[in-house]
Amino acid sequence: MTARFVAGRIGFYTLIAVLLAFFTIPLLWLATAPFTSDPTYEVAVPDFTWENFQAVVEHPYALPSLYNSLVLSVGTAVLVVAMAALAAYALSRVRMPGRDALLYALLLLSSIITGTAAMVPLFQLAVELNLIDSQLGLILILTGGLLPAAIFMLKDFMDSTPKSYEESARVFGASPLQIVRHVVVPLVRPGLATIAVWAVANVWGNFLMPYLLLSDVEKQPAAVITYTLYTEGGQANLRMLSTFGLLYSVPVVLMYLFVSKKYGFRFHGGIKR
Amino acid sequence: MAQATSSPPDIIDEQAPARRSYNSDAAGLGRLRAGMFVAPALLLIAAFLVFPALWVLYLGLTNYRLTGIAAAEPQFVGPANFLDAVSNPVFWDSTWLTVQFVLGSAVIGQVGLGFTIAWLLRDRRGPLKRLVEGLVILAWILPSAVVSFLWVALLDRDGGTLNALLGLPGFAWLLDHPMLSIIIFNTWRGTAFSMMLYGAALGNVPPSHLESARLAGASGWQQLRDVVFPHIRGHILTNLLLISLWTFNDFTPFLITAGGPDGRSEILAVHVYKVALQSGELGYGAAVSTVILLINLVVAVFYLRLLRSKK
């Protein structure tokens, strides 16, 4: 029994060690190369230089692309939250004919129409509507893609909040929009925050749509700039690439830590597209 | 939605306040207002999600191209693109590579590894559990453009860390084994979702059932087979369908191998991009997208049915 127990412990820790190695080793490069003066592909102990960060700051497109990522993700998140909140509220509180069918259709849409399935028509649509190289156009397209899942998640959330506050606000003569702003929004704030973070994370990491629809390098977000940094000229600039990759990654990690601390990390069926 | 905006309850609501508290329209949102609240979202969904999905069905039947005459005035050509696809070996290669990608990285990789981690850590609290879960989740949340390059560096034939560690100088992961490379990569990247799902599901298996199985002398494997798996079968099925759908549509492998070398990692998602936007055969690309859309539809319907039957 004890021999078996010991063997089990050894097996357990061996497996954990292998798993830790599998998940850690690919990340080591991102943690070390930015601080190494002349990084190679192989992970090495850094000599702790800050020169690479200097190079990123001086690069003409690096920091602007992070700003572009911010514009795209915050813009999309604001639109998604505002529109999904209104729609989810109405769908949660009013019995409309065909509501359940609509919700079912939304859930279905959000899972079947992906960038891969829709890239040709979206590209054509962007050309026809003059939305190529338009950040606003991209924001609208991304919003359209995220809305079904957002509405679905928020409706679930709103269904579980009490209606009595809204009724008393109504008695005091508040308009529906006032009720939404002053009664509903405070009640469902955690749900709204979850949707906002989910939308930001989705757009922050999105590569395909901006790659397809933004050809002007000054408008491209960090995802596209990262890709062009390592494909241009065949020889990747490892100092730039590692350092920029780290800067581009930090915001999502901070956001994740913030969310899991504040709300506990609950995940929803459609969190990733 | 059209009938919602034209129906009368909004007016009735105003005239009969006494009924309001019995009405399901709790906040006094009439149907007209409700329609207005839903309209902006539906408009965007219609324009940028529903319309493209319907339009791709039409585009697949045209000879639409990125350049030349057929760019300005695409002609309706019927099922020609679909016939081209089925007689195109690249299409079938892509389909087969996609099957390998989904089976390898989602079904075996992410489900297998995700369950294994959840099972190993099931009774644990504290730093070890947090460390393992934190790293797995990190792989999941980091931007795809960054982690894909990390793997390009890791797997590099001459300077990559993996070959240095394994003592395999000159082993050409990306050139000679592109599918294996992106399957391992996608397992690494996507396991977090399954791990969290099974972590939650295992928490719902009654400990007393496991305990009595243990007392009856069941081995670890027997406990899994006879107690755990039957209990979480629904979770396994929904998980399988969902991550298969995501993996099937995943474009990230393009960032690692660009479909190469010689199309040997050209899964369908990459195939569409290459034929449509690199070679300019938009009509043909739309036809392949139609196939993808239909497969997505079938999987999603199964998924939603499972979800409904669970509730």
Side-chain angles (χ1 to χ4, degrees), chain A residues 112-122 208-209 212 273, chain B residues 56 245-252 267-273 285-286 288-290 292-293 296:
Chain A
I112 62 170
I113 305 169
T114 60
T116 303
M119 72 172 92
V120 176
L122 278 176
L208 180 60
M209 281 301 141
L212 225 55
R273 240 159 67 87
Chain B
V56 79
L245 195 66
W246 291 339
T247 305
F248 180 65
N249 286 277
D250 187 18
F251 186 70
T252 316
I267 54 173
L268 281 171
V270 176
H271 182 57
V272 173
Y273 174 76
V288 179
S289 281
T290 302
I292 293 175
L293 202 61
N296 285 351

Coordinates of all heavy atoms in Angstrom, one line a residue, chain A residues 112-122 208-209 212 273, chain B residues 56 245-252 267-273 285-286 288-290 292-293 296:
Chain A
I112 N -22.1 30.0 -35.7 CA -21.8 29.5 -37.1 C -21.2 30.5 -38.0 O -20.4 30.1 -38.9 CB -23.1 28.9 -37.8 CG1 -24.1 29.9 -38.0 CG2 -23.6 27.7 -37.0 CD1 -25.2 29.4 -38.8
I113 N -21.5 31.8 -37.8 CA -20.9 32.8 -38.8 C -19.6 33.3 -38.2 O -19.6 34.1 -37.3 CB -21.9 33.9 -39.1 CG1 -23.2 33.3 -39.6 CG2 -21.3 34.8 -40.1 CD1 -24.3 34.2 -39.6
T114 N -18.5 32.8 -38.7 CA -17.2 33.1 -38.2 C -16.5 33.9 -39.2 O -16.9 34.0 -40.4 CB -16.4 31.9 -37.9 OG1 -16.3 31.1 -39.1 CG2 -17.1 31.0 -36.9
G115 N -15.3 34.4 -38.9 CA -14.5 35.1 -39.8 C -14.2 34.3 -41.0 O -14.1 34.7 -42.2
T116 N -13.9 33.0 -40.8 CA -13.6 32.1 -41.9 C -14.7 31.9 -42.9 O -14.5 31.9 -44.1 CB -13.2 30.7 -41.3 OG1 -12.2 30.9 -40.4 CG2 -12.8 29.8 -42.4
A117 N -15.9 31.8 -42.3 CA -17.1 31.6 -43.2 C -17.5 32.9 -43.9 O -18.0 32.8 -45.0 CB -18.3 31.0 -42.4
A118 N -17.2 34.0 -43.3 CA -17.7 35.3 -43.8 C -16.7 36.2 -44.4 O -17.0 37.3 -44.7 CB -18.6 36.0 -42.8
M119 N -15.4 35.7 -44.5 CA -14.4 36.7 -44.9 C -14.6 37.3 -46.3 O -14.3 38.4 -46.5 CB -13.0 36.1 -44.7 CG -12.5 35.1 -45.6 SD -10.7 34.7 -45.4 CE -10.7 33.4 -44.2
V120 N -15.0 36.4 -47.2 CA -15.2 37.0 -48.6 C -16.3 38.0 -48.7 O -16.1 39.1 -49.1 CB -15.5 35.8 -49.6 CG1 -15.7 36.4 -51.0 CG2 -14.3 34.9 -49.7
P121 N -17.6 37.7 -48.2 CA -18.6 38.7 -48.2 C -18.3 40.0 -47.4 O -18.6 41.1 -47.8 CB -19.8 38.0 -47.7 CG -19.4 36.8 -47.0 CD -18.1 36.4 -47.7
L122 N -17.6 39.8 -46.2 CA -17.3 41.0 -45.4 C -16.3 41.8 -46.1 O -16.3 43.1 -46.1 CB -16.7 40.5 -44.1 CG -17.8 40.1 -43.0 CD1 -17.1 39.6 -41.7 CD2 -18.7 41.3 -42.7
L208 N -7.5 38.3 -37.9 CA -8.0 38.2 -39.2 C -8.7 39.4 -39.8 O -8.4 39.9 -40.9 CB -8.9 36.9 -39.3 CG -9.5 36.6 -40.7 CD1 -8.5 36.4 -41.7 CD2 -10.5 35.4 -40.6
M209 N -9.7 39.9 -39.0 CA -10.5 41.0 -39.6 C -9.7 42.3 -39.8 O -9.7 42.8 -40.9 CB -11.7 41.3 -38.7 CG -12.8 40.3 -38.8 SD -13.4 40.4 -40.6 CE -13.7 38.7 -40.9
L212 N -7.5 41.8 -42.8 CA -8.2 41.8 -44.1 C -8.6 43.2 -44.5 O -8.6 43.5 -45.6 CB -9.5 40.9 -43.8 CG -9.9 39.9 -44.8 CD1 -8.8 38.9 -45.1 CD2 -11.2 39.2 -44.3
R273 N -14.3 33.3 -29.7 CA -14.9 33.1 -31.0 C -13.9 32.5 -31.9 O -12.8 32.8 -31.9 CB -15.4 34.4 -31.6 CG -16.9 34.4 -31.8 CD -17.4 35.8 -31.9 NE -16.9 36.4 -33.1 CZ -17.4 36.4 -34.3 NH1 -18.5 35.7 -34.5 NH2 -17.0 37.0 -35.3
Chain B
V56 N -22.7 35.2 -48.9 CA -21.7 34.2 -49.3 C -22.3 33.0 -50.1 O -21.7 32.5 -51.0 CB -20.9 33.7 -48.1 CG1 -21.7 32.6 -47.3 CG2 -19.5 33.2 -48.4
L245 N -16.0 23.1 -33.1 CA -16.4 24.3 -33.9 C -15.4 25.4 -34.0 O -15.0 25.9 -35.1 CB -17.7 24.8 -33.3 CG -18.6 25.7 -34.2 CD1 -19.1 24.9 -35.4 CD2 -19.8 26.2 -33.4
W246 N -14.9 25.7 -32.8 CA -13.8 26.8 -32.8 C -12.6 26.4 -33.6 O -12.0 27.2 -34.3 CB -13.4 27.1 -31.3 CG -14.5 27.8 -30.5 CD1 -15.6 28.5 -31.0 CD2 -14.6 27.8 -29.1 NE1 -16.3 28.9 -30.0 CE2 -15.8 28.5 -28.8 CE3 -13.9 27.3 -28.1 CZ2 -16.2 28.8 -27.5 CZ3 -14.3 27.5 -26.8 CH2 -15.4 28.2 -26.5
T247 N -12.1 25.2 -33.3 CA -10.9 24.7 -34.0 C -11.1 24.7 -35.5 O -10.2 25.0 -36.3 CB -10.5 23.4 -33.4 OG1 -10.4 23.5 -32.0 CG2 -9.2 22.9 -34.0
F248 N -12.3 24.2 -35.9 CA -12.6 24.1 -37.3 C -12.5 25.4 -38.0 O -12.0 25.5 -39.2 CB -14.0 23.5 -37.5 CG -14.4 23.3 -38.9 CD1 -13.8 22.4 -39.7 CD2 -15.5 24.1 -39.4 CE1 -14.3 22.3 -41.0 CE2 -16.0 23.9 -40.7 CZ -15.3 23.0 -41.5
N249 N -12.8 26.5 -37.3 CA -12.8 27.8 -37.9 C -11.6 28.7 -37.6 O -11.5 29.8 -37.9 CB -14.1 28.6 -37.4 CG -15.3 28.1 -38.1 OD1 -15.6 28.6 -39.2 ND2 -16.0 27.2 -37.4
D250 N -10.6 28.0 -36.9 CA -9.5 28.8 -36.4 C -8.5 29.2 -37.5 O -8.1 28.3 -38.3 CB -8.8 28.0 -35.3 CG -7.7 28.7 -34.6 OD1 -7.7 30.0 -34.7 OD2 -6.8 28.1 -34.0
F251 N -8.2 30.4 -37.6 CA -7.3 30.9 -38.6 C -5.8 31.0 -38.1 O -4.9 31.2 -38.9 CB -7.8 32.3 -39.1 CG -7.0 32.9 -40.2 CD1 -7.2 32.3 -41.5 CD2 -6.2 34.0 -40.1 CE1 -6.5 32.8 -42.6 CE2 -5.5 34.5 -41.2 CZ -5.7 33.9 -42.4
T252 N -5.7 30.9 -36.8 CA -4.3 31.1 -36.2 C -3.2 30.3 -36.8 O -2.1 30.8 -36.9 CB -4.4 30.9 -34.7 OG1 -5.6 31.5 -34.2 CG2 -3.2 31.4 -34.0
I267 N -5.2 24.1 -43.8 CA -6.5 23.7 -43.3 C -7.5 24.6 -44.0 O -7.2 25.6 -44.6 CB -6.6 23.8 -41.8 CG1 -6.2 25.2 -41.4 CG2 -5.8 22.8 -41.1 CD1 -6.4 25.5 -39.9
L268 N -8.8 24.3 -44.0 CA -9.8 25.0 -44.8 C -9.9 26.5 -44.5 O -10.0 27.3 -45.4 CB -11.2 24.3 -44.5 CG -11.5 23.0 -45.3 CD1 -12.8 22.4 -44.8 CD2 -11.5 23.3 -46.8
A269 N -9.7 26.9 -43.2 CA -9.8 28.3 -42.9 C -8.7 29.0 -43.7 O -8.9 30.1 -44.2 CB -9.6 28.5 -41.4
V270 N -7.5 28.4 -43.7 CA -6.4 29.0 -44.5 C -6.6 28.9 -46.0 O -6.3 29.8 -46.7 CB -5.0 28.4 -44.0 CG1 -3.9 28.9 -44.8 CG2 -4.8 28.6 -42.5
H271 N -7.2 27.8 -46.4 CA -7.4 27.6 -47.8 C -8.3 28.7 -48.4 O -8.1 29.2 -49.4 CB -8.1 26.2 -48.0 CG -8.4 25.8 -49.4 ND1 -7.5 25.8 -50.4 CD2 -9.6 25.5 -50.0 CE1 -8.0 25.4 -51.5 NE2 -9.3 25.3 -51.3
V272 N -9.4 29.0 -47.6 CA -10.3 30.1 -48.1 C -9.5 31.4 -48.3 O -9.6 32.1 -49.3 CB -11.4 30.3 -47.1 CG1 -12.3 31.5 -47.5 CG2 -12.3 29.1 -47.0
Y273 N -8.7 31.7 -47.3 CA -8.0 33.0 -47.3 C -7.0 32.9 -48.5 O -6.9 33.9 -49.3 CB -7.2 33.2 -46.1 CG -6.3 34.4 -46.1 CD1 -6.8 35.7 -46.0 CD2 -4.9 34.2 -46.4 CE1 -6.0 36.8 -46.2 CE2 -4.1 35.3 -46.5 CZ -4.6 36.6 -46.4 OH -3.8 37.7 -46.6
G285 N -13.6 31.0 -53.4 CA -13.4 31.0 -51.9 C -14.8 31.1 -51.2 O -15.0 30.4 -50.2
A286 N -15.8 31.8 -51.8 CA -17.1 31.9 -51.2 C -17.8 30.5 -51.2 O -18.5 30.1 -50.3 CB -17.9 32.9 -51.9
V288 N -16.2 27.6 -51.0 CA -15.6 26.8 -49.9 C -16.2 27.3 -48.5 O -16.5 26.5 -47.6 CB -14.1 26.9 -49.9 CG1 -13.5 26.1 -48.7 CG2 -13.5 26.4 -51.2
S289 N -16.3 28.7 -48.4 CA -16.9 29.2 -47.2 C -18.3 28.7 -47.0 O -18.7 28.5 -45.8 CB -17.0 30.8 -47.3 OG -15.7 31.3 -47.0
T290 N -19.1 28.5 -48.1 CA -20.4 28.0 -47.9 C -20.4 26.6 -47.3 O -21.2 26.3 -46.4 CB -21.1 27.9 -49.3 OG1 -21.1 29.2 -49.9 CG2 -22.5 27.4 -49.2
I292 N -18.1 25.5 -45.3 CA -17.7 25.7 -43.9 C -18.9 26.1 -43.1 O -19.2 25.6 -42.0 CB -16.6 26.8 -43.8 CG1 -15.3 26.2 -44.4 CG2 -16.4 27.2 -42.3 CD1 -14.2 27.2 -44.4
L293 N -19.7 27.0 -43.7 CA -20.9 27.5 -43.0 C -21.9 26.4 -42.8 O -22.5 26.3 -41.7 CB -21.6 28.6 -43.9 CG -22.5 29.6 -43.3 CD1 -21.8 30.4 -42.3 CD2 -23.1 30.5 -44.4
N296 N -20.6 24.2 -40.0 CA -20.8 25.0 -38.7 C -22.3 24.8 -38.3 O -22.6 24.6 -37.1 CB -20.5 26.4 -38.9 CG -19.0 26.7 -39.0 OD1 -18.2 25.8 -38.7 ND2 -18.7 27.9 -39.3

